[in-house]
Structure formats: structure tokens, C-alpha cells
Amino acid sequence: MTTETTAGAAPGISRSLFAFSVFYGGMVCIAGVLGNKQVALGPLAVEAGIFAFLLLVVVSSTVAELHGRATANRLVILGFIPLLASLALTLMVLAIPAAEKMDPQYLGAFETIMTGTPRIWVGGIIAYGVSTLLNVTIFSKLKREGGKLLWLRAGIAGVLSQIVDTLIFITIAFYGVFPIGDLLVGQMLAKVVLSAVAVPPLIVLAVKLGRSLDSTPLA
């Protein structure tokens, strides 16, 4: 049963919503860092930030299932706070001179990893907001229209939101820099497959975990 506050939870927020919100904030911050590595998934190459981003999809869908669409949308919007704060801190740290004793190789590696172009930053922020809100909207709409199969709703919403995410991010970040056709196809195919295969069972497990957290009485 959907509820904002359940028995045994802290006043004003259920334990599942608190736990998922903390986890969500961490995934928002780490996704951009992981995205600096390209990983091989069979014949396809995909940026590793997809794994953290898929967990954002899992958590936002789980919150929508347990606490309603409005609460899930608020979670996505509030996710901009740690996202923008981590970006601001990154810029601040990059601007502060490094200690004289710091190994130049480590400094160079740090700056390479943490420095991104404004287009990549903007593309990532816009893609995050649009695709995650779209995921919550599709997931919740399918439920209202009588969709009882949680795994099916999760798969459909995850796949469609990842297609939009890829289109937005790749276009904003790289259009005009080099031909993006092959990159779009490869990224989209990898994300669609992962969304269809990994997201549904993870959401089913997360919903069970959330219900368990909310139903377990405090010691």
C-alpha cells in the first residue's frame, strides 16, 4: 500500500524513503566520476556512469511505487542539490593551487579525470533531469492505467528514459565536435539492453526491501 509515513518510521518520513534518498544522493554524485571510464560490454563501449545512473532509475521508480509519483518527482528535483554542489566543489578544488609536494603525475591524473568541458556538464545535468523525470512519469502512468506487472512497467520506463537520456546527452555534449551517429547507436543499444535486463529485477528487489524496512518495528 502506498503511504508517506508508515508505522515504526521516524515522524514525517518513512525509513524506506530516508534510506533511498541518502542512496540516491550518493549515486547522483558518483555517476559523473564513473563516466570518465569507458567499459566494454561485449562488442559495445559504454561510459561507466551508466551503472550509477541505472541505480537512479531503480531508486526513483521504487520511490514512485512505494510513496507515489509526487514524492519521486521531488526526489529527482532535490537530486540537483548534491549534483550542483559536487560540481561547484570540483571547480573550487581545481582552482585552488596544488601543494608543492604533490606528485605531478597524480595532479595531472586528477585534473584529467575531474576536468570536463562545459558542454559535457550541461548535457549531463539536462539529461539527468529530463530522463529521470520521464522515467517516473511513464512508470507511474502505466500503474494508473492498470499495469500490475512491476517488472514490465520498470522495463518499459527504463528503456524509454534511457533512449531520451542518450539522445540529449550525446547531442548536447558532442554534436559538431565529431560525427555522433555511431556513438549514439552504441550508447543507446548498451543502455537499452541494460535497462531491459537489469532494471526490472533490481526494482522488484528494491520494492521488497522498502516494504520490509517500513514494516519492521523499531527495536
Side-chain angles (χ1 to χ4, degrees), residues 17-192:
L17 183 56
F18 175 78
F20 286 134
S21 297
V22 172
F23 184 79
Y24 190 92
M27 292 302 101
V28 168
C29 294
I30 198 62
V33 178
L34 296 178
N36 287 284
K37 180 176 181 179
Q38 297 284 314
V39 295
L41 298 177
L44 301 174
V46 62
E47 49 90 10
I50 176 85
F51 300 116
F53 194 87
L54 287 178
L55 289 176
L56 294 177
V57 171
V58 170
V59 173
S60 60
S61 297
T62 300
V63 170
E65 180 72 11
L66 296 176
H67 304 285
R69 176 182 174 183
T71 300
N73 283 338
R74 285 197 294 270
L75 178 66
V76 173
I77 297 300
L78 289 173
F80 280 103
I81 296 176
L83 176 60
L84 295 175
S86 61
L87 175 57
L89 283 174
T90 298
L91 294 174
M92 183 186 75
V93 170
L94 288 170
I96 298 174
E100 294 182 0
K101 294 183 179 181
M102 184 173 183
D103 189 318
Q105 287 186 325
Y106 292 156
L107 176 59
F110 175 82
E111 292 179 341
T112 298
I113 292 296
M114 301 306 293
T115 302
T117 68
R119 284 183 61 173
I120 291 177
W121 286 334
V122 171
I125 291 171
I126 294 176
Y128 157 75
V130 173
S131 62
T132 312
L133 287 172
L134 177 64
N135 173 76
V136 171
T137 298
I138 296 173
F139 182 85
S140 300
K141 185 174 179 59
L142 289 174
K143 182 178 182 178
R144 288 200 310 271
E145 293 182 353
K148 296 182 179 180
L149 297 177
L150 176 59
W151 64 269
L152 181 59
R153 289 186 280 122
I156 293 173
V159 166
L160 293 178
S161 64
Q162 285 303 296
I163 291 174
V164 172
D165 174 79
T166 304
L167 286 171
I168 292 175
F169 176 72
I170 298 298
T171 301
I172 294 176
F174 302 116
Y175 182 78
V177 178
F178 55 80
I180 62 174
D182 290 342
L183 181 61
L184 269 174
V185 172
Q187 294 281 309
M188 195 176 296
L189 181 58
K191 290 182 178 181
V192 164

